[in-house]
Amino acid sequence: MIHSLFLVNHTGDIFLEKHWKSVISRSVCDYFFEAKEKAVEPENVPPVLQTPHHYLITIYRGKLFFLSVIQTEVPPLFVIEFLHRVADTFQDYFGECSEGVIKDNVVIVYELLEEMLDNGFPLATESNVLKEMIRPPTILRSVVNTLTGSSNVGDTLPTGQLSSIPWRRAGVKYTNNEAYFDVIEEIDAILDKSGTTVFAEIQGVIEACVRLTGMPDLTLSFMNPRLLDDVSFHPCVRFKRWESEQVLSFIPPDGNFTLMSYHVSSQNLVAMPVYVKQNISFFETGPCGRLDITIGPKQTMGKTVEGLMVTIHMPKAVLSANLTPTQGNYTYDLATKVLVWDIGKLNPQKLPNLRGTLSMQSGAPKPEDNPSLNIDLKIQQLAISGLKVSRLDMYGEKYKPFKGVKYLTKAGKFQVRT
């Protein structure tokens, strides 16, 4: 199935490659580099590219491209899911998934890839199984390995590999038993010039951090589960129980994992956290244009909007921007023609405003289209869909664990047309 994997950094350099069957030349990546040049943003590179002899399937995570080379036709989502699992494993092992960290732990990276894929087919992808086979790096272990010449590879087959619940190892013990859940939602939206919603949907995920002794059986219930249109679960979730009762019943993996992801696509259920009043105009005569943007809170349920940032890809004819922000600061990159206004925390009493003039190239024609605004934001302790966890129950063990739920809303591809 998967023949080769190339890791490419954001500047376009291949810094790691792994081949499972025959060695495939790096020149196959040229098709990917062509597509990357055509795409304005790295996220816009097509995930599946067809070449005369191969298919290239890519994901973009942490400023890195994971590029897999396939020679036969396979379901692309199968490969994409596996690549995300590889990136998640690196994150779990090393604390972050970046070029520097991968280069520092290159031996463990190759050992992991060897175990995760066997002859091109996924084999061991559960974190707890991998950690028993290949121990995560620590400073002490690195020193011992250097002195003794030993490796991080375990001597015995993981207990979970032969179990009916391979995601959980046997004999787990903790002094502090805790189960924490993060409900994280991303809004993808397009608003037109008047502020009307053209398109809106919410992509949600529930991240779990469970450190419980023994073999606990958990039940998580929601106040309003019928909000969810499309759900995808970790293999530990009993799907029949969800279908009949809309309740999550599962024996959790040990540590961090993604319990479920979901989708809310009914536009009337998607609340817009901010509104934008904007006016960007370029004049037929005279080398200048005007810009005026104001942002205010809309449906935030009394919560504060944080990390607010506006990014505008200006037309090529715009040479410079002379603007005055009432809050935050702005930068204009002359090479990439990108204007970034970093606002920070939104104050409802004094709405942030950015206004001023744009200097145009003399003799250049008026731009045909006005640029769109890309909004980035975060709202703590709010799930914008209205989803709420009502209770978490534990069976099979006698102790009482610490329990907690956090909510976070952030912008995905949030665009305002001008």
Side-chain angles (χ1 to χ4, degrees), residues 82 85-86 89 111-118 121-131 133-134 158 161:
F82 174 76
R85 193 64 69 91
V86 170
T89 303
E111 287 171 350
L112 285 170
L113 292 174
E114 199 63 53
E115 294 296 343
M116 293 182 80
L117 216 65
D118 182 44
F121 289 88
L123 179 65
T125 58
E126 284 298 333
S127 178
N128 70 296
V129 170
L130 287 167
K131 280 179 179 173
M133 287 195 284
I134 298 153
Q161 189 82 320

Side-chain angles (χ1 to χ4, degrees), residues 328-400:
N329 51 60
Y330 78 93
T331 55
Y332 181 64
D333 190 323
L334 192 58
T336 58
K337 307 292 184 187
V338 174
L339 173 70
V340 177
W341 179 23
D342 189 351
I343 300 165
K345 197 177 281 190
L346 183 60
N347 181 2
Q349 270 70 47
K350 191 182 176 189
L351 301 181
N353 173 268
L354 180 71
R355 67 173 65 185
T357 58
L358 304 169
S359 299
M360 308 281 289
Q361 204 172 324
S362 58
K366 178 187 171 186
E368 291 179 13
D369 300 313
N370 273 3
S372 57
L373 281 60
N374 294 307
I375 312 287
D376 198 18
L377 57 86
K378 274 185 197 170
I379 307 172
Q380 301 284 354
Q381 290 307 324
L382 172 70
I384 201 79
S385 66
L387 184 73
K388 277 195 171 66
V389 174
S390 63
R391 60 183 297 165
L392 174 69
D393 298 308
M394 186 180 79
Y395 306 96
E397 299 290 340
K398 295 206 166 60
Y399 56 84
K400 283 192 175 180

Side-chain angles (χ1 to χ4, degrees), residues 273-284:
V274 293
Y275 68 86
V276 182
K277 289 181 179 175
Q278 40 69 32
N279 182 22
I280 301 176
S281 52
F282 300 101
F283 306 125
E284 294 283 0

Side-chain angles (χ1 to χ4, degrees), residues 177-181 212 218-220 391-394 400-406:
N177 293 286
E178 52 195 22
Y180 299 118
F181 297 89
L212 298 174
L218 302 181
T219 303
L220 187 76
R391 60 183 297 165
L392 174 69
D393 298 308
M394 186 180 79
K400 283 192 175 180
F402 295 106
K403 299 181 280 191
V405 180
K406 280 198 308 187

Side-chain angles (χ1 to χ4, degrees), residues 236-304:
C236 69
V237 176
R238 299 177 178 102
F239 188 61
K240 284 194 174 176
R241 181 93 187 265
W242 169 262
E243 277 191 312
S244 60
E245 299 174 45
Q246 302 277 283
V247 163
L248 295 182
S249 172
F250 57 100
I251 294 173
D254 183 40
N256 299 311
F257 65 99
T258 301
L259 178 62
M260 70 177 282
S261 55
Y262 60 89
H263 196 99
V264 179
S265 57
S266 307
Q267 296 217 0
N268 56 339
L269 291 175
V270 180
M272 291 297 125
V274 293
Y275 68 86
V276 182
K277 289 181 179 175
Q278 40 69 32
N279 182 22
I280 301 176
S281 52
F282 300 101
F283 306 125
E284 294 283 0
T285 56
C288 72
R290 287 202 63 77
L291 179 143
D292 190 344
I293 303 169
T294 305
I295 298 184
K298 196 174 181 184
Q299 292 165 296
T300 61
M301 287 67 159
K303 306 292 183 186
T304 307

